[in-house]
Amino acid sequence: MPFLSKQPKIIIAGGGIGGLVTALSLHAAGFSDIDIFEASSSLTTLGVGINVQPSAVLILRNLGLLQALEKTGVKTRELNFYNRHGDAILSEPRGLGAGYAVPQFSIHRGDLQMLLLSAVKERIGNDRIHLQHALSGFTQDDSHITAHFSQRRDGQPAEMAEVTADLLIAADGINSTARRILYPNEGPPRFSGRMLWRGCIEQEPYLTGASMVWAGHADQKFIAYPISNRSAERGRSLVNWIAELRVRSKDDEDLTPPKSDWTKAVDTSVFEKPFETWQCGGLRMKDLIDKTDKVYEFPMSDRDPVDRWSFGRLTLLGDAAHAMYPIGSNGASQAIIDAETLAKHLAAMDVPDALKAYEADRLPATAKIVMANRANGPDHVLQMAEERAPDGFKNIYDVIPKHELESIGAVYKKVAGFEKDSVNEKAARTEDVAAKLGLTSPVDWIS
């Protein structure tokens, strides 16, 4: 492990995927004085499915977590696009099937968070994780930064009301307190006009057992993919599904998200009827919806890119820095890339310069992804098929020429930073990193 002549004290606000991977990346870079402050009273397996692209899986592999990921998630084989009539638009191999040196994983967000948390406890220490500490503010001078914490439930001071450190990393989500302080006139997240309803259900496998299904168009979409290797080992498939509908006109100037509590189940009657006859890829969407015990609602929102993330000894990371629409299976992956990039720069230079270098690397790249996702990213193939053949088709190439269809995904991979050649070159160059650092998967995730 690299030797650091002076150990800076580092505070991470936020115990989500971004915050936890940041802690692990800093530890791998030789830092040890790291504390994570999380607003929630507990860290549990809440949430639904997500995808981790090969570019981010490679980072987790180099942190010694590949074996745990293989035990937990599904190695995605392909992504299949359909129109609303069930006509096949495109089938694209993913991960290992596309020639990447590492897989793409479909995984339950809560399982991934718990896996990362287990690794943090083993490597950094359980006493370094502080719950019920919501970031409420900060003050800083040239040499130090002091974070202020309160209890989220009642706003009273937290057990550790003030903590002074050399660096504060704000990984506190789309409603980041740090960002609100830095940009007081920004307001709430920017609502797309579309609502997402999400659920998970265990059933018989469909297609390859590791297939992603994307169906519909920009204003009505259905997505499904399996997320559990443990279910697969029992011959079953834990399917994560997402129903998406436009609920506010494109011409509505009000971009404020509707109030919604993603921890509370909602009645499926509010959205299921438009999907009543949909079926594709061996799935009947009504069956998935009707058989799911709990369904959760999420306004599909993002934020405009800003000019700066780093201010003195403070920087933003993950959704706090670049909240984006969940299009292109890319949100968590970008937070993981943030973490590696920040740790690399902090190991090479002093804090203010490192934060500026991190920002220079990551802000322009993620700003492009935010805007690409607003334009539907790789999902644009769905909208093209809808606009050109609203009544369906027999052969997609009669509707969209092959080169045009395939170029959409290729362009997005370049924008999002997971082009195969660049990922594979880095994979070969860093093949022994985890072994050299003595990093292994958490024991409780490989037993």
Side-chain angles (χ1 to χ4, degrees), residues 131 279 315 386 421:
L131 302 177
Q279 50 188 327
T315 198
E386 173 69 14
D421 289 347

Side-chain angles (χ1 to χ4, degrees), residues 101-411:
V102 290
Q104 172 178 326
F105 280 104
S106 299
I107 190 169
H108 192 288
R109 176 184 288 274
D111 283 346
L112 177 58
Q113 188 172 2
M114 293 302 100
L115 185 163
L116 297 171
L117 179 63
S118 181
V120 167
K121 289 179 178 179
E122 283 189 11
R123 299 175 189 181
I124 300 172
N126 191 37
D127 60 337
R128 293 287 189 160
I129 301 165
H130 312 280
L131 302 177
Q132 297 191 77
H133 282 73
L135 183 67
S136 57
F138 60 88
T139 53
Q140 62 174 317
D141 55 30
D142 290 341
S143 57
H144 294 93
I145 186 165
T146 298
H148 306 277
F149 297 102
S150 64
Q151 298 181 50
R152 185 167 63 180
R153 184 178 301 171
D154 56 16
Q156 294 298 309
E159 181 180 352
M160 301 171 69
E162 293 186 0
V163 181
T164 298
D166 297 283
L167 166 62
L168 170 59
I169 302 166
D172 52 342
I174 190 170
N175 293 307
S176 166
T177 294
R179 180 163 171 150
R180 186 170 67 249
I181 292 169
L182 296 171
Y183 295 95
N185 297 321
E186 182 178 32
R190 182 183 182 278
F191 183 46
S192 66
R194 290 171 279 178
M195 192 71 78
L196 307 176
W197 292 272
R198 310 185 68 159
C200 291
I201 181 172
E202 190 171 75
Q203 62 163 42
E204 293 296 317
Y206 66 93
L207 296 179
T208 67
S211 302
M212 305 176 74
V213 165
W214 249 247
H217 52 89
D219 291 339
Q220 182 178 352
K221 194 182 303 177
F222 200 95
I223 296 166
Y225 50 88
I227 58 173
S228 173
N229 181 62
R230 295 184 179 98
S231 289
E233 288 177 338
R234 293 187 285 103
R236 302 285 286 169
S237 184
L238 181 62
V239 178
N240 173 82
W241 60 262
I242 307 161
E244 177 184 329
L245 281 176
R246 177 166 292 282
V247 297
R248 192 178 293 175
S249 169
K250 296 176 185 177
D251 299 325
D252 195 326
E253 296 181 358
D254 182 8
L255 300 178
T256 305
K259 290 185 177 180
S260 185
D261 184 348
W262 65 270
T263 66
K264 292 183 178 179
V266 298
D267 194 306
T268 59
S269 63
V270 301
F271 70 91
E272 67 178 342
K273 189 169 179 56
F275 297 96
E276 201 167 35
T277 62
W278 281 34
Q279 50 188 327
C280 59
L283 295 172
R284 188 166 181 261
M285 286 43 185
K286 187 177 188 305
D287 289 344
L288 290 175
I289 294 170
D290 289 347
K291 294 176 182 179
T292 300
D293 288 337
K294 293 183 179 180
V295 176
Y296 301 93
E297 185 177 76
F298 301 77
M300 184 169 154
S301 305
D302 68 0
R303 286 190 180 276
D304 287 328
V306 290
D307 294 331
R308 288 179 65 187
W309 295 349
S310 300
F311 296 78
R313 293 178 173 272
L314 165 75
T315 198
L316 306 175
L317 184 142
D319 280 352
H322 48 71
M324 58 186 66
Y325 293 166
I327 289 174
S329 305
N330 215 21
S333 295
Q334 293 305 315
I336 292 168
I337 296 170
D338 288 351
E340 181 194 52
T341 306
L342 178 56
K344 176 189 72 175
H345 287 304
L346 285 169
M349 57 189 82
D350 64 21
V351 169
D353 288 340
L355 300 192
K356 290 178 183 177
Y358 154 71
E359 177 187 286
D361 272 359
R362 295 295 297 146
L363 193 156
T366 54
K368 290 178 182 177
I369 302 171
V370 170
M371 303 314 291
N373 284 8
R374 282 189 189 173
N376 281 326
D379 294 9
H380 187 54
V381 298
L382 299 175
Q383 189 62 17
M384 289 173 65
E386 173 69 14
E387 291 174 356
R388 297 184 188 184
D391 297 323
F393 51 83
K394 290 184 178 179
N395 187 333
I396 185 60
Y397 298 138
D398 294 336
V399 180
I400 309 172
K402 187 173 187 289
H403 69 88
E404 185 180 6
L405 194 64
E406 294 178 348
S407 69
I408 294 169
V411 168

Side-chain angles (χ1 to χ4, degrees), residues 91-105:
S91 182
E92 180 183 273
R94 308 293 280 187
L96 298 175
Y100 285 89
V102 290
Q104 172 178 326
F105 280 104

